[in-house]
Amino acid sequence: MDSGNEDALDIIITNVVATFRTRCHLNLRTIALEGVNVIYKPEVGKVLMKLRKPKITASIWSSGKIICTGATSEDESKVGARRLARTLQKLGFRVRFSDYKVVNVLAVCSMPFAIRLIDFTKKNRPIASYEPELHPAATYRIKQIKATVQVFSTGSITVTGPNVQNVATAVEQVYPLLFECQKPLRK
Amino acid sequence: MSPRVCKTCGCAEIDLDQARGNAVCTSCGSVLEDNIIVSEVQFVEGSGGVTSAVGQFVSADGPEKAPLLGSGFHTSIGKESRAQTLQNGKRQIHQLGSQLQLNQHCLDTAFNFFKMVVSKQLTRGRKMAHVIAACLYMVCRTEGTPHMLLDLSDLLQVNVYILGKTFLLLSRELYINAPAIDPCLYIPRFAHMLEFGDKTHQVSMTALRLLQRMKRDWMHTGRRPSGLCGAALLVAARMHDFRRTVKEVIGVVKVCQATLRKRLTEFEDTPTSHLTIDEFMRVDLEQECDPPSFIASQHKTKIQQLEHELTKKLNEVEGEISGYRDEIETELENCRPKLRGMYAAFTKHTDDKEREGKLPLTFDPPEGEDLEMQAAQQFTRDFLCQVLEEEEENPGSGQPGGQPGGRPSSQSLSSILGLGRPTQDPPEEPEDGSESGELDLEGIDDQEIEKYILNEREVETKTELWMKQNEDYLKEQKVKEDRITKEKEQGTYKVKCVKKSKKRAPIRASTAGEAIEKMLEQKRISTKINYEVLRDLNQGGSGPSSPVPTPPESSSSSGATGRPRAPRRKKPNRKANSLAATASIMGKRLRPLVSSIPKKKRNASQVSSSTPPGPATPPQLATPEREATPPPEAPPPGEAVEEEEAEPCVSVLQLMKGNEYGCDTEEEEEFF
């Protein structure tokens, strides 16, 4: 039953965050003045550069560390990162593309049923926690695969994890628990 | 060890007097033991008539060596850091807890939580205030008291989400499973604050019923309980003929108008809202509703489905129409020799239209320029979208004249897309190149990247703009650099230390009063504190003044260079405490003390001075008159500032003023 329903559930990846290093010092002012889509934040000490084609935003620090966010798949993220490094190369810095690592993946998934959050929290203590004063969703943290699942009462869930495989595993793990606490539809 | 048998007479009845420390034989009267070591508590009277116990507190987990100092009020020296932290925490817990009117049992439980937290070293890197607040909130949740996290954040003036984060983390680490918040807990508290008089209980009952109904209708999952309470109370009040406006309710419940209105509309959508008051009290509808957000998303999906079906139908109709068209054409061909005259013009007309339709669409792609191709593609896409929209607006129009325009467009759309795709694919084919640091240029379109870099003229313009925009920042940087170069020349250049804690010069003072003054100057707390009062306080030996002279005495004695920061930071707090206690500066008299104290200290004094107005003892009434003299010194702008500050304070007081939660008011426990 579960695997059958898994096929029907689409897990949509909405954000992939990756970091890499250029192994050289970058002059933020140069980048800010010669780049097209850049925002310079001198107080924080970084430059935000936005690319159009893989739609990503990159935070560039002067140490050469770059964080790349907004991609919708791991491959896209890599392409974007490399494109960004190429841009920096063209600006005149001796850029080397190293230590590329996907740090975080955010995915959303929608269950075909509503969920009773209080029941869900009670059954899964202490892994699950629910504070309606702070956030409308119940948070379920899976330690082994280091993934966090946020469960909303409408049945949509958001999953964050270090890579796409973990995210898929997390959904598989959490699905039966959610199925138990579902709320049967009336209308 | 009391002797059993008297040595002189052999009688076994020996009277042991604990008070005198004697052991006397009852028959012959001879004193058998004298100066027995007794373990009794002795009391000493201090200034102001306050009695305190003689002796000092030795903690069970303190240092092995006995505290060398003989006097009773050196409680903060000679102990290790852990004991100091715990003591500090205990004091803060009692302070904060008394403002929330928690009883002793709750405070003790909170202190136990705090001990656990400290032993797990979770206080590291966290502000003590946050940890204390989290412990207190844990107690509130486990005991089920009607305190919200919002109240705590009000008292501490800290963002509620920060407190919530700390609370969640600590409860996870300590494996404390707090039961879920039930909005029903808050009803009595809010009902009391809304002042329904005699009917408070009835209104509360009605509101509770409404809440239970809301729960069953799935309005409460994922929502703040206070918002639901507000809505339930508003409706209940109206049902019992109380005219409570939305503004009053939101002032008490602490949600915004929009939230309350939304809850009310959601409730309106449930079938329960259609019952009359009597029916509601008697009958309970069986049917349950779906959660409102679920209904909203379902609505969306329904609309999408409808659109989908509509387009499907359109396509079907198109298909039918094209079928008809084919038939007509075949018929025409068959009948052509006969009807050439009439239909020739018609077919020519349609052919022209087709050609016209196709030409502009297929004209542009063969051109090779990148930019123009993209522009053209965009243009054609827009055009196609328009055409498709027009089609949708005239659904099912069975006119063959209208349709031919549509069909060639769909044909050429695919052709355009087919042409368009190859150029887009290569850039999107990533190949994982070598990780050795060499940049793999595969799939990266250099031309496109060139677009990301401005040419020289653009760079100049941008430089100008940027310089103008960030003038202030650049000036600051320049000033800083000049300063650094100057200092370098002078040879006094020091690397700016990252650490925030400054080691202050030790205060050298001859008397306690002087020491206090100097410390206050250093800390720049307040010019509004009446030093005479302080000096008078110091003249008493022990009692309420005990916390006050200890820091200056110790600072003057030890030199205070290596002292930890915690005790220092607490000094003004204690001072304000003692002042607050002795002067009962609560409620109305917030302003003077709050005036020019820097933010942190202001919070501390707010916290201390907003202790609940317990029964004011007579000796404390005498001193308010003395304290009334310094207030007039407060400058008007300062007052204007704190009026805003005082308001949230007052509201908290209003919240806390009722003693009817079953929690006892806490008297000042610091003065042992």
Side-chain angles (χ1 to χ4, degrees), chain A residues 32 34-36 38 40 52-53 78-79 82 86 90 96-97 116 125 130-131 133 136 154 183 185, chain B residues 137 141 177 218 222 224 293-294 430 435 437 440-442 446 448-450 452 454 462 466 473:
Chain A
E34 296 183 14
V36 169
V38 288
Y40 185 20
R52 271 197 215 112
K53 193 84 78 69
K78 183 125 197 205
V79 166
R82 280 157 65 237
R86 179 77 184 126
K90 289 221 157 176
R96 294 175 72 80
F97 188 77
R116 282 190 277 250
R125 287 223 189 101
Y130 172 47
E131 272 302 307
E133 280 193 45
T154 56
K183 184 198 176 307
L185 289 181
Chain B
Y137 188 58
R141 285 288 288 275
N177 298 324
W218 285 86
R224 285 234 178 120
S293 39
F294 195 74
E435 294 285 339
D440 189 4
L441 291 178
E442 177 96 29
D446 263 5
E448 201 190 322
I449 288 182
E450 287 284 333
Y452 282 124
L454 302 168
K462 190 162 181 186
W466 190 86
Y473 177 74

Side-chain angles (χ1 to χ4, degrees), chain A residues 148-166:
Chain A
T148 308
V149 179
Q150 291 200 336
V151 182
F152 290 86
S153 61
T154 56
S156 3
I157 61 173
T158 78
V159 192
T160 59
N163 56 50
V164 181
Q165 191 52 44
N166 280 21

Side-chain angles (χ1 to χ4, degrees), chain A residues 23 29-45 49-54 75-76 78-79 81-92 95-100 111-119 121-122 125-137 139 141 143 152-155 181-187, chain B residues 137 141 147-150 160-161 163-165 167-168 172 175 177-181 186 216 218 220-226 269 271 286-291 293-295 297-298 374 423-424 427-454 458-459 462-464 466-467 470 473-474:
Chain A
R23 295 251 175 241
R29 202 179 275 202
T30 324
I31 300 176
L33 294 176
E34 296 183 14
V36 169
N37 305 317
V38 288
I39 306 170
Y40 185 20
K41 297 198 169 185
E43 320 85 38
V44 187
M49 185 183 258
K50 303 196 191 213
L51 257 60
R52 271 197 215 112
K53 193 84 78 69
D75 297 331
E76 216 182 270
K78 183 125 197 205
V79 166
R82 280 157 65 237
R83 197 168 282 197
L84 189 67
R86 179 77 184 126
T87 317
L88 291 175
Q89 230 175 34
K90 289 221 157 176
L91 282 172
V95 160
R96 294 175 72 80
F97 188 77
S98 75
D99 297 338
Y100 172 82
M111 304 284 151
F113 46 78
I115 300 169
R116 282 190 277 250
L117 287 185
I118 300 185
D119 274 352
T121 327
K122 275 191 197 156
R125 287 223 189 101
I127 315 174
S129 81
Y130 172 47
E131 272 302 307
E133 280 193 45
L134 294 174
H135 191 57
T139 323
R141 287 177 209 270
K143 247 186 170 177
F152 290 86
S153 61
T154 56
C181 308
Q182 72 176 292
K183 184 198 176 307
L185 289 181
R186 278 287 167 172
K187 289 183 185 171
Chain B
Y137 188 58
R141 285 288 288 275
H147 290 105
M148 298 191 289
L149 199 56
L150 267 175
V160 69
Y161 295 108
L163 282 184
K165 204 171 166 187
F167 163 71
L168 282 174
R172 213 176 346 132
Y175 300 103
N177 298 324
I181 301 180
Y186 297 134
R216 251 179 288 143
W218 285 86
H220 83 299
T221 331
R223 268 82 188 277
R224 285 234 178 120
S226 40
D269 289 334
E286 297 248 331
Q287 184 194 22
E288 292 183 4
C289 295
D290 289 327
S293 39
F294 195 74
I295 296 174
S297 65
Q298 276 201 327
Q374 280 189 4
T423 54
Q424 286 190 17
E428 289 179 27
E429 273 175 25
E431 274 187 30
D432 289 343
S434 56
E435 294 285 339
S436 65
E438 293 292 320
L439 187 59
D440 189 4
L441 291 178
E442 177 96 29
I444 293 180
D445 191 5
D446 263 5
Q447 274 188 337
E448 201 190 322
I449 288 182
E450 287 284 333
K451 285 185 231 148
Y452 282 124
I453 302 177
L454 302 168
E458 287 171 340
V459 169
K462 190 162 181 186
T463 318
E464 263 190 62
W466 190 86
M467 290 293 180
N470 296 335
Y473 177 74
L474 288 171

